[in-house]
Amino acid sequence: MWEQVEGCELDEMWSFVQNKDNQRWLWLAVDHSTRMVLAYTFGKRKDEVFKELKALLEPFGITMFYSDDWGSYERNLNPENHTISKKNTQIIERKNLTLRTRIKRLCRKTICYSKCVKMHDIVIGLVINIIEFGWFSNIPLHQFRT
């Protein structure tokens, strides 16, 4: 069984496949106290994708969610357990910046991009797993600039 998580920060990060019209969003959830990524998913910036992320978070028994004021959070989270504030999302914003600097595919202006959705999701997911959970820990992190 998973440990209960008191607070969770939520955010989404923009990327693209092939061209900037074909947007792809990385949705992240980070434990507010330990700063560890709890779950992530990929898709459009739609409620259905957030609901997928929310389903991945259910085993953690999260009691409080912190996010920006993107409508998906407001529509799909109980207002009693949801705080909209930049003050409480500094950890996930820092995590986004770290991912952007390590994964070129997440940069806004880049010549590195994915040609198919499947590889986009695999590469970004693999790097997140390596950075967050230490897989392949004998390889220095600076070698993971994709």
Side-chain angles (χ1 to χ4, degrees):
M1 189 67 191
W2 302 99
E3 280 189 38
Q4 185 169 353
V5 174
E6 287 184 27
C8 174
E9 296 181 22
L10 304 168
D11 202 15
E12 67 287 339
M13 190 175 359
W14 176 84
S15 185
F16 65 93
V17 176
Q18 285 281 344
N19 60 58
K20 291 185 179 181
D21 293 331
N22 189 12
Q23 295 183 359
R24 192 86 176 139
W25 291 83
L26 166 62
W27 294 72
L28 277 173
V30 174
D31 186 328
H32 190 64
S33 58
T34 66
R35 300 173 181 231
M36 291 294 298
V37 170
L38 298 172
Y40 62 91
T41 189
F42 298 94
K44 297 195 179 288
R45 201 174 191 202
K46 304 271 184 192
D47 286 2
E48 299 83 45
V49 182
F50 174 65
K51 288 176 185 176
E52 288 176 28
L53 179 65
K54 189 177 170 189
L56 292 172
L57 295 171
E58 283 182 17
F60 295 103
I62 298 168
T63 56
M64 194 64 181
F65 292 94
Y66 305 104
S67 73
D68 55 16
D69 66 348
W70 177 244
S72 291
Y73 305 125
E74 224 172 329
R75 288 188 293 273
N76 296 292
L77 293 172
N78 183 348
E80 296 171 4
N81 301 9
H82 180 218
T83 300
I84 298 171
S85 168
K86 288 287 185 186
K87 179 180 154 191
N88 293 312
T89 58
Q90 291 177 357
I91 294 168
I92 198 163
E93 293 296 346
R94 175 67 236 182
K95 184 86 60 184
N96 287 347
L97 184 59
T98 300
L99 290 174
R100 250 191 213 107
T101 55
R102 295 224 169 116
I103 306 172
K104 290 181 184 176
R105 295 163 202 245
L106 294 174
C107 292
R108 292 183 173 118
K109 292 186 176 186
T110 183
I111 59 171
C112 181
Y113 61 91
S114 300
K115 294 182 180 177
C116 73
V117 170
K118 185 176 183 179
M119 285 307 295
H120 176 272
D121 295 356
I122 288 172
V123 168
I124 293 172
L126 181 60
V127 174
I128 290 171
N129 283 311
I130 290 167
I131 292 170
E132 288 298 314
F133 307 113
W135 295 0
F136 307 111
S137 59
N138 58 339
I139 302 170
L141 287 178
H142 70 274
Q143 292 183 6
F144 292 101
R145 295 190 184 265
T146 58

